[in-house]
Amino acid sequence: ADTSARQKLDWKSCPPPSDSEDASTGRAPGDAWECATLHAPLDYGHPKGDSIGIALIRAKATDPDHRIGSLLFNFGGPGGSGITTLPAFAEDYKNLRTRYDLVSFDPRGVGRSDGVRCLGDKDLDAYYAADSTPDDGGERRAFLDRVKKYAAACEKNSGKVLAHVGTSNAARDMDLMRQALGDDKLHYFGISYGTELGGVYAHLFPKKVGRALLDGVVDPTNDPVQSALGQAKGFQLALGNYLRACTASRDNCPTEDQIKRLLDRLDERPVPAAEGRELTQPLASGGIAQSLYSKDYWDYLTEGVEDAENGDGKILLALADSMNGRDKDGAYSSLQASLNAVTCADFKQRYSERDIEGQLGAFRAASPVFGDSMAWSLTQCTGWPASGEWQTPEVSAKGAAPMLVVGNTGDPATPYAGARKMARRLGPGVGVELTYKGEGHGAYNSGNACVKQAVDAYLLDGTVPKNGKVCS
C-alpha cells in the first residue's frame, strides 16, 4: 500500500459498525458520513516495511464557499473510536461544520484500525468482574496472575502492533492525514487523552499547527503514579460535588459512607444483575466512576446505588459495561485493550506489587472510595510484552500557533490543574488558557454558552481569547 503523503483517499459510504467498535455509541443516521482508509507505515523507523490501515470518517462542510479545511477530532481514551463517536456527537459540532469538514479516525490499534485484541468476550466478563482491590496474599497472587494472563493474551492476539501503537506514532499518522486531506496546517479538536496527542503533535510538528483546541486536559508533567493519584482526587472531588448537589435537590441520596459500605459488601457478596450476571465490587466501582463523567448520569447513580443496596445491580452494571466498552449483546469493543496498549507503549514505568503497597496510603488518602482500585490499576503495564517510550510526554511547541487549552474545575478524569501545566509546557504564546467553572469531563460539550462562544470564535474566526479567561 502507498504510505506516502501523496496517497489518494478513497471516500465511500460507511460500513455498519463492527463488533470491535463501541457499538453502544451507534452510527448517526443520515448520508452525510463517508469513510476511507489511510495507509501508514507500521514502524516509522522502517517506512518501507509493513503498513497499517487507519480508518477515517468525515462529513463535509455545509458552507463550502467559506471552508477553512478539515477539523480533526480525537475523543480520547486512549482507545476511543472516532469513527463511532464523531457521528454520535455531531449535533454538538454543527456550527463548526459550516466551515470545516469534520473528520475523525480510529487511531492505530483502535477499532477499525487493527484494534488491539486480548481476551475474548466471555473471558472479559470474568476479568472485569474479578476482584481488583486484593486484601491479602492469596487475593494479590490471583490479581497479579490475571494481569499476567491478560498481557500474554494481548501478545498472542495483537503482538504485531503492540510496539507501534504509542502516541508519537498516532501524531505522525495525523500529520500524514493532514497531507492526504490536502491541508497546509492541522486544525484539531482534542478531548481528554486527545489533548496529550495534540500536545505531542505540536511538539513534533510545531510549524504545522493550525487552530487547535485541547479540552479536558491531561497533565503532561505527570508520570503514571501522579496521573492515577490525580484521577483518584478528581473522582473523589466529583463524587463530593454530586453528593452535595443531590442532597440539595432530593431525599433518597446516598452518603459517601453508604457508598463505601456498599462496595465493601459487594467485595464479599455480589448482587444479581441483568442476564444472570452479578454486580461485583469492581463493576460497581466502575459504574459509579462512569456516572461522574457527566451530570446527565447523576440521577442514574442515585437510583443505581439505592437499587444495589436492595439487591438489584442492573443500573450500576449497565454503567460499568459502558465504561468497559461492552454492548448489550455481550460484545466488547477494543476500547480498554487499546487503552492498555497505548499507555504501555507510551510510558516506560512498570510497577511491582511492592511499589503498589508503598502507594496505597497516599491513594486511600486521596480517595476513600476509589483509592485502592486506582492504586492497583497501576499494574496494567507490569509484564507487558512491549516497552514504553518516555517517562512523561514531551509537548513543548516553540514556534507553534496559539493553541486554546480549556480546563474544567470539576473534571474528575483530567483534573483542572492539568490545563495550566499543559499551557505552560506548550510554551509562552502557544498555550492559551480558558477556565470553565463546571462539572463533568470536558467543557465544550457541557452546553455552557460562554465556552462554546469562545471556542467557536477561535476555531471559526481565529479569534484567540484573552489568556486566563473564565466561563462559569
Side-chain angles (χ1 to χ4, degrees):
D2 177 10
T3 58
S4 75
R6 292 180 304 281
Q7 64 184 282
K8 285 273 173 282
L9 295 172
D10 182 16
W11 294 98
K12 292 190 167 90
S13 65
C14 294
S18 71
D19 68 354
S20 70
E21 291 174 282
D22 211 340
S24 55
T25 51
R27 182 67 48 70
D31 52 10
W33 300 100
E34 31 181 18
C35 289
T37 302
L38 175 90
H39 296 285
L42 179 64
D43 178 352
Y44 277 93
H46 298 97
K48 295 272 184 282
D50 289 351
S51 65
I52 187 169
I54 310 293
L56 307 181
I57 191 166
R58 80 169 173 194
K60 284 185 165 163
T62 51
D63 180 3
D65 293 346
H66 298 101
R67 180 179 174 277
I68 296 166
S70 305
L71 182 61
L72 188 63
F73 287 78
N74 180 284
F75 296 94
S81 163
I83 301 268
T84 48
T85 311
L86 182 58
F89 289 96
E91 197 52 35
D92 291 350
Y93 309 116
K94 204 164 64 188
N95 206 18
L96 298 173
R97 194 183 152 197
T98 53
R99 304 193 59 198
Y100 287 103
D101 297 346
L102 303 185
V103 180
S104 193
F105 62 108
D106 283 1
R108 49 175 61 215
V110 175
R112 299 205 161 193
S113 303
D114 237 335
V116 171
R117 282 295 191 193
C118 298
L119 298 169
D121 294 335
K122 277 279 170 270
D123 288 335
L124 282 173
D125 277 346
Y127 183 76
Y128 291 126
D131 184 14
S132 61
T133 55
D135 304 310
D136 57 40
E139 287 188 358
R140 285 182 185 182
R141 277 192 299 281
F143 173 83
L144 293 165
D145 191 46
R146 278 196 304 280
V147 170
K148 207 156 88 186
K149 285 199 170 111
Y150 184 88
C154 298
E155 182 169 31
K156 180 171 169 241
N157 295 317
S158 296
K160 183 173 93 103
V161 300
L162 294 183
H164 306 294
V165 295
T167 300
S168 301
N169 282 329
R172 292 184 181 99
D173 293 342
M174 293 203 309
D175 203 56
L176 199 55
M177 247 170 255
R178 171 190 70 73
Q179 296 170 80
L181 290 163
D183 290 329
D184 291 334
K185 298 276 165 102
L186 180 81
H187 304 299
Y188 182 68
F189 195 129
I191 300 171
S192 195
Y193 158 79
T195 63
E196 183 181 317
L197 177 57
V200 170
Y201 178 88
H203 174 70
L204 292 173
F205 306 102
K207 294 283 188 254
K208 298 299 180 193
V209 174
R211 296 172 191 172
L213 172 77
L214 308 183
D215 181 11
V217 187
V218 171
D219 185 336
T221 67
N222 278 349
D223 66 21
V225 168
Q226 294 163 322
S227 176
L229 209 45
Q231 278 205 333
K233 288 179 184 150
F235 278 100
Q236 190 66 33
L237 171 76
L239 182 66
N241 292 347
Y242 148 74
L243 292 169
R244 269 194 303 284
C246 184
T247 311
S249 66
R250 52 194 295 179
D251 54 8
N252 63 333
C253 299
T255 62
E256 187 181 314
D257 271 351
Q258 245 175 306
I259 288 175
K260 276 190 59 187
R261 283 201 303 275
L262 171 66
L263 291 171
D264 287 344
R265 272 208 309 282
L266 291 170
D267 194 18
E268 302 297 324
R269 285 189 309 283
V271 298
E275 305 152 22
R277 295 166 71 208
E278 287 186 322
L279 179 72
T280 61
Q281 183 198 42
L283 290 168
S285 173
I288 293 165
Q290 177 72 0
S291 68
L292 298 172
Y293 273 85
S294 166
K295 264 171 125 160
D296 300 346
Y297 293 157
W298 283 5
D299 285 347
Y300 295 125
L301 177 53
T302 308
E303 287 158 36
V305 169
E306 188 175 40
D307 285 1
E309 287 189 307
N310 295 322
D312 176 1
K314 276 202 277 300
I315 293 178
L316 288 182
L317 181 65
L319 286 162
D321 283 348
S322 160
M323 176 90 124
N324 292 327
R326 184 190 197 270
D327 71 14
K328 52 186 190 308
D329 300 324
Y332 284 86
S333 74
S334 70
L335 176 68
Q336 292 292 347
S338 304
L339 184 150
N340 233 50
V342 175
T343 304
C344 303
D346 280 349
F347 288 94
K348 283 186 155 83
Q349 295 88 338
R350 303 291 184 254
Y351 299 105
S352 67
E353 183 179 354
R354 183 170 290 172
D355 294 329
I356 308 294
E357 282 167 5
Q359 295 289 344
L360 277 172
F363 274 84
R364 285 171 181 156
S367 173
V369 176
F370 303 107
D372 267 52
S373 57
M374 288 197 164
W376 284 104
S377 74
L378 287 166
T379 56
Q380 67 175 350
C381 298
T382 305
W384 193 254
S387 54
E389 182 182 344
W390 57 50
Q391 299 286 337
T392 58
E394 179 55 81
V395 298
S396 60
K398 196 176 174 193
M403 298 169 70
L404 185 54
V405 178
V406 186
N408 173 353
T409 55
D411 198 313
T414 50
Y416 172 63
R420 179 152 299 167
K421 299 266 190 67
M422 177 67 86
R424 284 195 182 140
R425 278 290 162 103
L426 287 167
V430 180
V432 177
E433 201 184 348
L434 170 70
T435 292
Y436 166 52
K437 292 187 164 169
E439 300 298 337
H441 185 31
Y444 187 83
N445 294 53
S446 68
N448 179 275
C450 165
V451 172
K452 204 166 169 53
Q453 241 164 339
V455 170
D456 286 3
Y458 165 67
L459 289 173
L460 294 169
D461 310 320
T463 310
V464 180
K466 194 167 157 297
N467 190 23
K469 179 181 166 73
V470 177
C471 289
S472 54

